[in-house]
PDB file of all heavy atoms in Angstrom:
ATOM      1  N   ASP A  80      -0.837 -14.163  11.529  1.00 97.00           N
ATOM      2  CA  ASP A  80       0.481 -14.755  11.785  1.00 97.00           C
ATOM      3  C   ASP A  80       1.507 -13.703  12.194  1.00 97.00           C
ATOM      4  O   ASP A  80       2.428 -13.990  12.950  1.00 97.00           O
ATOM      5  CB  ASP A  80       0.974 -15.492  10.531  1.00 97.00           C
ATOM      6  CG  ASP A  80       0.104 -16.696  10.209  1.00 97.00           C
ATOM      7  OD1 ASP A  80       0.104 -17.641  11.009  1.00 97.00           O
ATOM      8  OD2 ASP A  80      -0.591 -16.677   9.172  1.00 97.00           O
ATOM      9  N   LEU A  81       1.353 -12.491  11.667  1.00 96.00           N
ATOM     10  CA  LEU A  81       2.286 -11.415  12.000  1.00 96.00           C
ATOM     11  C   LEU A  81       1.588 -10.074  11.805  1.00 96.00           C
ATOM     12  O   LEU A  81       1.010  -9.821  10.748  1.00 96.00           O
ATOM     13  CB  LEU A  81       3.528 -11.497  11.095  1.00 96.00           C
ATOM     14  CG  LEU A  81       4.664 -10.509  11.376  1.00 96.00           C
ATOM     15  CD1 LEU A  81       5.306 -10.772  12.736  1.00 96.00           C
ATOM     16  CD2 LEU A  81       5.734 -10.587  10.283  1.00 96.00           C
ATOM     17  N   THR A  83       2.356  -6.036  11.957  1.00 94.00           N
ATOM     18  CA  THR A  83       3.494  -5.120  12.001  1.00 94.00           C
ATOM     19  C   THR A  83       3.048  -3.666  11.889  1.00 94.00           C
ATOM     20  O   THR A  83       2.019  -3.362  11.291  1.00 94.00           O
ATOM     21  CB  THR A  83       4.496  -5.421  10.854  1.00 94.00           C
ATOM     22  OG1 THR A  83       3.949  -4.947   9.617  1.00 94.00           O
ATOM     23  CG2 THR A  83       4.776  -6.906  10.735  1.00 94.00           C
ATOM     24  N   ASP A 110       5.063 -12.220  20.412  1.00 95.00           N
ATOM     25  CA  ASP A 110       5.940 -12.869  19.425  1.00 95.00           C
ATOM     26  C   ASP A 110       5.432 -12.724  17.995  1.00 95.00           C
ATOM     27  O   ASP A 110       6.157 -13.002  17.043  1.00 95.00           O
ATOM     28  CB  ASP A 110       6.097 -14.366  19.750  1.00 95.00           C
ATOM     29  CG  ASP A 110       6.854 -14.582  21.050  1.00 95.00           C
ATOM     30  OD1 ASP A 110       7.633 -13.675  21.421  1.00 95.00           O
ATOM     31  OD2 ASP A 110       6.658 -15.627  21.698  1.00 95.00           O
ATOM     32  N   ILE A 112       4.153  -9.860  16.806  1.00 97.00           N
ATOM     33  CA  ILE A 112       4.091  -8.429  16.507  1.00 97.00           C
ATOM     34  C   ILE A 112       5.507  -7.927  16.222  1.00 97.00           C
ATOM     35  O   ILE A 112       6.460  -8.339  16.890  1.00 97.00           O
ATOM     36  CB  ILE A 112       3.465  -7.650  17.683  1.00 97.00           C
ATOM     37  CG1 ILE A 112       1.995  -8.066  17.850  1.00 97.00           C
ATOM     38  CG2 ILE A 112       3.566  -6.138  17.466  1.00 97.00           C
ATOM     39  CD1 ILE A 112       1.332  -7.543  19.096  1.00 97.00           C
ATOM     40  N   ALA A 113       5.626  -7.071  15.217  1.00 97.00           N
ATOM     41  CA  ALA A 113       6.932  -6.485  14.893  1.00 97.00           C
ATOM     42  C   ALA A 113       6.778  -5.001  14.592  1.00 97.00           C
ATOM     43  O   ALA A 113       5.728  -4.557  14.110  1.00 97.00           O
ATOM     44  CB  ALA A 113       7.547  -7.202  13.695  1.00 97.00           C
ATOM     45  N   THR A 115       8.857  -1.776  12.585  1.00 94.00           N
ATOM     46  CA  THR A 115       9.958  -1.410  11.690  1.00 94.00           C
ATOM     47  C   THR A 115      10.031   0.113  11.591  1.00 94.00           C
ATOM     48  O   THR A 115       9.005   0.780  11.524  1.00 94.00           O
ATOM     49  CB  THR A 115       9.768  -2.017  10.284  1.00 94.00           C
ATOM     50  OG1 THR A 115       8.552  -1.521   9.719  1.00 94.00           O
ATOM     51  CG2 THR A 115       9.722  -3.537  10.331  1.00 94.00           C
ATOM     52  N   LYS A 145      10.738  -8.045  18.439  1.00 94.00           N
ATOM     53  CA  LYS A 145      11.017  -7.830  17.008  1.00 94.00           C
ATOM     54  C   LYS A 145      10.864  -6.342  16.681  1.00 94.00           C
ATOM     55  O   LYS A 145       9.857  -5.905  16.130  1.00 94.00           O
ATOM     56  CB  LYS A 145      10.083  -8.684  16.151  1.00 94.00           C
ATOM     57  CG  LYS A 145      10.293 -10.184  16.340  1.00 94.00           C
ATOM     58  CD  LYS A 145       9.317 -10.990  15.499  1.00 94.00           C
ATOM     59  CE  LYS A 145       9.510 -12.474  15.714  1.00 94.00           C
ATOM     60  NZ  LYS A 145       8.872 -12.947  16.953  1.00 94.00           N
ATOM     61  N   VAL A 146      11.873  -5.587  17.068  1.00 96.00           N
ATOM     62  CA  VAL A 146      11.884  -4.149  16.800  1.00 96.00           C
ATOM     63  C   VAL A 146      13.089  -3.860  15.911  1.00 96.00           C
ATOM     64  O   VAL A 146      14.230  -4.001  16.344  1.00 96.00           O
ATOM     65  CB  VAL A 146      11.964  -3.323  18.104  1.00 96.00           C
ATOM     66  CG1 VAL A 146      11.998  -1.833  17.793  1.00 96.00           C
ATOM     67  CG2 VAL A 146      10.791  -3.649  19.022  1.00 96.00           C
ATOM     68  N   PHE A 147      12.814  -3.510  14.666  1.00 97.00           N
ATOM     69  CA  PHE A 147      13.889  -3.226  13.715  1.00 97.00           C
ATOM     70  C   PHE A 147      14.011  -1.713  13.606  1.00 97.00           C
ATOM     71  O   PHE A 147      13.233  -1.060  12.927  1.00 97.00           O
ATOM     72  CB  PHE A 147      13.593  -3.892  12.373  1.00 97.00           C
ATOM     73  CG  PHE A 147      13.513  -5.393  12.501  1.00 97.00           C
ATOM     74  CD1 PHE A 147      12.292  -6.035  12.640  1.00 97.00           C
ATOM     75  CD2 PHE A 147      14.667  -6.153  12.536  1.00 97.00           C
ATOM     76  CE1 PHE A 147      12.217  -7.409  12.796  1.00 97.00           C
ATOM     77  CE2 PHE A 147      14.609  -7.536  12.692  1.00 97.00           C
ATOM     78  CZ  PHE A 147      13.378  -8.162  12.820  1.00 97.00           C
ATOM     79  N   GLY A 154      10.764  -2.013   6.015  1.00 95.00           N
ATOM     80  CA  GLY A 154      10.149  -3.044   6.847  1.00 95.00           C
ATOM     81  C   GLY A 154       9.909  -4.380   6.182  1.00 95.00           C
ATOM     82  O   GLY A 154      10.368  -5.421   6.666  1.00 95.00           O
ATOM     83  N   GLN A 155       9.180  -4.371   5.061  1.00 92.00           N
ATOM     84  CA  GLN A 155       8.827  -5.643   4.420  1.00 92.00           C
ATOM     85  C   GLN A 155      10.084  -6.439   4.054  1.00 92.00           C
ATOM     86  O   GLN A 155      10.142  -7.657   4.223  1.00 92.00           O
ATOM     87  CB  GLN A 155       8.011  -5.410   3.132  1.00 92.00           C
ATOM     88  CG  GLN A 155       6.712  -4.678   3.330  1.00 92.00           C
ATOM     89  CD  GLN A 155       6.867  -3.192   3.131  1.00 92.00           C
ATOM     90  OE1 GLN A 155       7.779  -2.577   3.679  1.00 92.00           O
ATOM     91  NE2 GLN A 155       5.976  -2.583   2.369  1.00 92.00           N
ATOM     92  N   HIS A 156      11.075  -5.733   3.544  1.00 94.00           N
ATOM     93  CA  HIS A 156      12.318  -6.382   3.118  1.00 94.00           C
ATOM     94  C   HIS A 156      13.091  -6.933   4.318  1.00 94.00           C
ATOM     95  O   HIS A 156      13.649  -8.029   4.259  1.00 94.00           O
ATOM     96  CB  HIS A 156      13.188  -5.379   2.352  1.00 94.00           C
ATOM     97  CG  HIS A 156      12.635  -5.006   1.015  1.00 94.00           C
ATOM     98  ND1 HIS A 156      13.183  -5.432  -0.169  1.00 94.00           N
ATOM     99  CD2 HIS A 156      11.566  -4.252   0.667  1.00 94.00           C
ATOM    100  CE1 HIS A 156      12.488  -4.944  -1.184  1.00 94.00           C
ATOM    101  NE2 HIS A 156      11.502  -4.225  -0.700  1.00 94.00           N
ATOM    102  N   VAL A 157      13.111  -6.158   5.393  1.00 97.00           N
ATOM    103  CA  VAL A 157      13.814  -6.586   6.610  1.00 97.00           C
ATOM    104  C   VAL A 157      13.140  -7.829   7.200  1.00 97.00           C
ATOM    105  O   VAL A 157      13.808  -8.791   7.595  1.00 97.00           O
ATOM    106  CB  VAL A 157      13.860  -5.431   7.645  1.00 97.00           C
ATOM    107  CG1 VAL A 157      14.399  -5.910   8.982  1.00 97.00           C
ATOM    108  CG2 VAL A 157      14.712  -4.279   7.118  1.00 97.00           C
ATOM    109  N   LEU A 158      11.814  -7.822   7.225  1.00 96.00           N
ATOM    110  CA  LEU A 158      11.069  -8.980   7.737  1.00 96.00           C
ATOM    111  C   LEU A 158      11.374 -10.226   6.902  1.00 96.00           C
ATOM    112  O   LEU A 158      11.571 -11.321   7.445  1.00 96.00           O
ATOM    113  CB  LEU A 158       9.566  -8.695   7.727  1.00 96.00           C
ATOM    114  CG  LEU A 158       9.075  -7.569   8.650  1.00 96.00           C
ATOM    115  CD1 LEU A 158       7.624  -7.215   8.338  1.00 96.00           C
ATOM    116  CD2 LEU A 158       9.229  -7.934  10.122  1.00 96.00           C
ATOM    117  N   LEU A 159      11.430 -10.043   5.592  1.00 92.00           N
ATOM    118  CA  LEU A 159      11.766 -11.149   4.680  1.00 92.00           C
ATOM    119  C   LEU A 159      13.152 -11.701   4.984  1.00 92.00           C
ATOM    120  O   LEU A 159      13.339 -12.913   5.119  1.00 92.00           O
ATOM    121  CB  LEU A 159      11.755 -10.652   3.232  1.00 92.00           C
ATOM    122  CG  LEU A 159      10.546 -10.916   2.363  1.00 92.00           C
ATOM    123  CD1 LEU A 159      10.735 -10.255   1.007  1.00 92.00           C
ATOM    124  CD2 LEU A 159      10.271 -12.400   2.183  1.00 92.00           C
ATOM    125  N   GLU A 160      14.117 -10.799   5.074  1.00 96.00           N
ATOM    126  CA  GLU A 160      15.508 -11.215   5.289  1.00 96.00           C
ATOM    127  C   GLU A 160      15.693 -11.927   6.624  1.00 96.00           C
ATOM    128  O   GLU A 160      16.578 -12.769   6.764  1.00 96.00           O
ATOM    129  CB  GLU A 160      16.434  -9.991   5.218  1.00 96.00           C
ATOM    130  CG  GLU A 160      16.578  -9.432   3.813  1.00 96.00           C
ATOM    131  CD  GLU A 160      17.341  -8.114   3.750  1.00 96.00           C
ATOM    132  OE1 GLU A 160      17.701  -7.562   4.813  1.00 96.00           O
ATOM    133  OE2 GLU A 160      17.561  -7.625   2.626  1.00 96.00           O
ATOM    134  N   HIS A 161      14.852 -11.588   7.594  1.00 93.00           N
ATOM    135  CA  HIS A 161      14.961 -12.217   8.914  1.00 93.00           C
ATOM    136  C   HIS A 161      14.127 -13.495   9.043  1.00 93.00           C
ATOM    137  O   HIS A 161      13.982 -14.034  10.147  1.00 93.00           O
ATOM    138  CB  HIS A 161      14.564 -11.220  10.011  1.00 93.00           C
ATOM    139  CG  HIS A 161      15.652 -10.246  10.330  1.00 93.00           C
ATOM    140  ND1 HIS A 161      15.947  -9.176   9.517  1.00 93.00           N
ATOM    141  CD2 HIS A 161      16.550 -10.202  11.354  1.00 93.00           C
ATOM    142  CE1 HIS A 161      16.967  -8.506  10.034  1.00 93.00           C
ATOM    143  NE2 HIS A 161      17.350  -9.102  11.136  1.00 93.00           N
ATOM    144  N   GLY A 162      13.580 -13.962   7.936  1.00 97.00           N
ATOM    145  CA  GLY A 162      12.830 -15.218   7.969  1.00 97.00           C
ATOM    146  C   GLY A 162      11.506 -15.126   8.699  1.00 97.00           C
ATOM    147  O   GLY A 162      10.971 -16.133   9.169  1.00 97.00           O
ATOM    148  N   LEU A 163      10.959 -13.904   8.780  1.00 95.00           N
ATOM    149  CA  LEU A 163       9.707 -13.703   9.517  1.00 95.00           C
ATOM    150  C   LEU A 163       8.482 -13.718   8.607  1.00 95.00           C
ATOM    151  O   LEU A 163       7.380 -13.385   9.034  1.00 95.00           O
ATOM    152  CB  LEU A 163       9.764 -12.377  10.285  1.00 95.00           C
ATOM    153  CG  LEU A 163      10.839 -12.299  11.372  1.00 95.00           C
ATOM    154  CD1 LEU A 163      10.903 -10.903  11.963  1.00 95.00           C
ATOM    155  CD2 LEU A 163      10.574 -13.325  12.472  1.00 95.00           C
ATOM    156  N   VAL A 164       8.695 -14.086   7.354  1.00 97.00           N
ATOM    157  CA  VAL A 164       7.599 -14.142   6.380  1.00 97.00           C
ATOM    158  C   VAL A 164       7.600 -15.526   5.745  1.00 97.00           C
ATOM    159  O   VAL A 164       8.633 -15.978   5.245  1.00 97.00           O
ATOM    160  CB  VAL A 164       7.783 -13.066   5.285  1.00 97.00           C
ATOM    161  CG1 VAL A 164       6.686 -13.178   4.233  1.00 97.00           C
ATOM    162  CG2 VAL A 164       7.806 -11.675   5.899  1.00 97.00           C
ATOM    163  N   LYS A 165       6.447 -16.175   5.784  1.00 95.00           N
ATOM    164  CA  LYS A 165       6.348 -17.517   5.196  1.00 95.00           C
ATOM    165  C   LYS A 165       5.176 -17.587   4.222  1.00 95.00           C
ATOM    166  O   LYS A 165       4.185 -16.865   4.392  1.00 95.00           O
ATOM    167  CB  LYS A 165       6.175 -18.561   6.303  1.00 95.00           C
ATOM    168  CG  LYS A 165       7.402 -18.673   7.194  1.00 95.00           C
ATOM    169  CD  LYS A 165       7.238 -19.706   8.293  1.00 95.00           C
ATOM    170  CE  LYS A 165       8.449 -19.658   9.215  1.00 95.00           C
ATOM    171  NZ  LYS A 165       8.363 -20.634  10.310  1.00 95.00           N
ATOM    172  N   PRO A 166       5.272 -18.455   3.224  1.00 97.00           N
ATOM    173  CA  PRO A 166       4.150 -18.619   2.292  1.00 97.00           C
ATOM    174  C   PRO A 166       2.876 -18.983   3.054  1.00 97.00           C
ATOM    175  O   PRO A 166       2.925 -19.734   4.037  1.00 97.00           O
ATOM    176  CB  PRO A 166       4.598 -19.787   1.403  1.00 97.00           C
ATOM    177  CG  PRO A 166       6.084 -19.826   1.526  1.00 97.00           C
ATOM    178  CD  PRO A 166       6.393 -19.365   2.911  1.00 97.00           C
ATOM    179  N   TRP A 168       1.161 -17.275   5.026  1.00 97.00           N
ATOM    180  CA  TRP A 168       0.926 -16.521   6.263  1.00 97.00           C
ATOM    181  C   TRP A 168       0.015 -15.323   5.995  1.00 97.00           C
ATOM    182  O   TRP A 168       0.038 -14.744   4.908  1.00 97.00           O
ATOM    183  CB  TRP A 168       2.252 -16.025   6.828  1.00 97.00           C
ATOM    184  CG  TRP A 168       2.866 -16.997   7.807  1.00 97.00           C
ATOM    185  CD1 TRP A 168       2.615 -18.333   7.890  1.00 97.00           C
ATOM    186  CD2 TRP A 168       3.831 -16.696   8.812  1.00 97.00           C
ATOM    187  NE1 TRP A 168       3.372 -18.888   8.899  1.00 97.00           N
ATOM    188  CE2 TRP A 168       4.123 -17.901   9.482  1.00 97.00           C
ATOM    189  CE3 TRP A 168       4.481 -15.533   9.216  1.00 97.00           C
ATOM    190  CZ2 TRP A 168       5.035 -17.975  10.534  1.00 97.00           C
ATOM    191  CZ3 TRP A 168       5.388 -15.599  10.262  1.00 97.00           C
ATOM    192  CH2 TRP A 168       5.660 -16.808  10.914  1.00 97.00           C
ATOM    193  N   ILE A 170      -0.478 -11.615   7.078  1.00 97.00           N
ATOM    194  CA  ILE A 170       0.378 -10.578   7.663  1.00 97.00           C
ATOM    195  C   ILE A 170      -0.273  -9.208   7.483  1.00 97.00           C
ATOM    196  O   ILE A 170      -0.853  -8.922   6.435  1.00 97.00           O
ATOM    197  CB  ILE A 170       1.777 -10.602   6.993  1.00 97.00           C
ATOM    198  CG1 ILE A 170       2.445 -11.975   7.207  1.00 97.00           C
ATOM    199  CG2 ILE A 170       2.670  -9.486   7.523  1.00 97.00           C
ATOM    200  CD1 ILE A 170       3.737 -12.173   6.440  1.00 97.00           C
ATOM    201  N   LEU A 180       4.868  -8.684  -0.212  1.00 96.00           N
ATOM    202  CA  LEU A 180       5.269  -9.969   0.371  1.00 96.00           C
ATOM    203  C   LEU A 180       4.561 -11.147  -0.300  1.00 96.00           C
ATOM    204  O   LEU A 180       4.916 -12.300  -0.078  1.00 96.00           O
ATOM    205  CB  LEU A 180       5.024  -9.969   1.885  1.00 96.00           C
ATOM    206  CG  LEU A 180       5.871  -8.955   2.670  1.00 96.00           C
ATOM    207  CD1 LEU A 180       5.469  -8.928   4.138  1.00 96.00           C
ATOM    208  CD2 LEU A 180       7.357  -9.245   2.532  1.00 96.00           C
ATOM    209  N   ALA A 185       2.956 -14.939   0.566  1.00 98.00           N
ATOM    210  CA  ALA A 185       2.306 -14.537   1.820  1.00 98.00           C
ATOM    211  C   ALA A 185       1.141 -13.606   1.507  1.00 98.00           C
ATOM    212  O   ALA A 185       1.213 -12.820   0.566  1.00 98.00           O
ATOM    213  CB  ALA A 185       3.299 -13.833   2.732  1.00 98.00           C
ATOM    214  N   TRP A 288      15.973 -19.816  -1.079  1.00 95.00           N
ATOM    215  CA  TRP A 288      16.295 -18.627  -0.274  1.00 95.00           C
ATOM    216  C   TRP A 288      15.385 -18.574   0.960  1.00 95.00           C
ATOM    217  O   TRP A 288      15.844 -18.338   2.079  1.00 95.00           O
ATOM    218  CB  TRP A 288      16.111 -17.377  -1.142  1.00 95.00           C
ATOM    219  CG  TRP A 288      16.551 -16.072  -0.543  1.00 95.00           C
ATOM    220  CD1 TRP A 288      17.772 -15.474  -0.684  1.00 95.00           C
ATOM    221  CD2 TRP A 288      15.765 -15.179   0.274  1.00 95.00           C
ATOM    222  NE1 TRP A 288      17.793 -14.270  -0.008  1.00 95.00           N
ATOM    223  CE2 TRP A 288      16.580 -14.062   0.592  1.00 95.00           C
ATOM    224  CE3 TRP A 288      14.469 -15.211   0.769  1.00 95.00           C
ATOM    225  CZ2 TRP A 288      16.138 -12.994   1.370  1.00 95.00           C
ATOM    226  CZ3 TRP A 288      14.025 -14.144   1.557  1.00 95.00           C
ATOM    227  CH2 TRP A 288      14.846 -13.056   1.848  1.00 95.00           C
ATOM    228  N   LEU A 289      14.097 -18.821   0.736  1.00 92.00           N
ATOM    229  CA  LEU A 289      13.118 -18.814   1.831  1.00 92.00           C
ATOM    230  C   LEU A 289      13.426 -19.897   2.854  1.00 92.00           C
ATOM    231  O   LEU A 289      13.357 -19.667   4.059  1.00 92.00           O
ATOM    232  CB  LEU A 289      11.717 -19.068   1.272  1.00 92.00           C
ATOM    233  CG  LEU A 289      10.809 -17.887   0.979  1.00 92.00           C
ATOM    234  CD1 LEU A 289       9.481 -18.393   0.451  1.00 92.00           C
ATOM    235  CD2 LEU A 289      10.573 -17.022   2.213  1.00 92.00           C
ATOM    236  N   ARG A 292      16.160 -18.961   5.103  1.00 93.00           N
ATOM    237  CA  ARG A 292      15.841 -17.885   6.051  1.00 93.00           C
ATOM    238  C   ARG A 292      14.737 -18.282   7.035  1.00 93.00           C
ATOM    239  O   ARG A 292      14.811 -17.937   8.214  1.00 93.00           O
ATOM    240  CB  ARG A 292      15.359 -16.633   5.295  1.00 93.00           C
ATOM    241  CG  ARG A 292      16.286 -16.151   4.209  1.00 93.00           C
ATOM    242  CD  ARG A 292      17.304 -15.186   4.726  1.00 93.00           C
ATOM    243  NE  ARG A 292      18.288 -14.849   3.697  1.00 93.00           N
ATOM    244  CZ  ARG A 292      18.924 -13.697   3.633  1.00 93.00           C
ATOM    245  NH1 ARG A 292      18.681 -12.760   4.513  1.00 93.00           N
ATOM    246  NH2 ARG A 292      19.813 -13.477   2.689  1.00 93.00           N
ATOM    247  N   ALA A 293      13.704 -18.926   6.510  1.00 96.00           N
ATOM    248  CA  ALA A 293      12.493 -19.154   7.314  1.00 96.00           C
ATOM    249  C   ALA A 293      12.299 -20.613   7.718  1.00 96.00           C
ATOM    250  O   ALA A 293      11.319 -20.945   8.382  1.00 96.00           O
ATOM    251  CB  ALA A 293      11.273 -18.654   6.547  1.00 96.00           C
TER     252      ALA A 293
END
Side-chain angles (χ1 to χ4, degrees):
Chain A
D80 294 294
L81 185 66
T83 75
D110 293 335
I112 294 171
T115 61
K145 296 178 181 80
V146 179
F147 298 97
Q155 300 93 312
H156 290 252
V157 172
L158 296 169
L159 260 176
E160 289 172 355
H161 281 77
L163 296 174
V164 177
K165 294 180 185 180
W168 269 22
I170 300 172
L180 296 175
W288 187 93
L289 263 181
R292 307 271 173 151

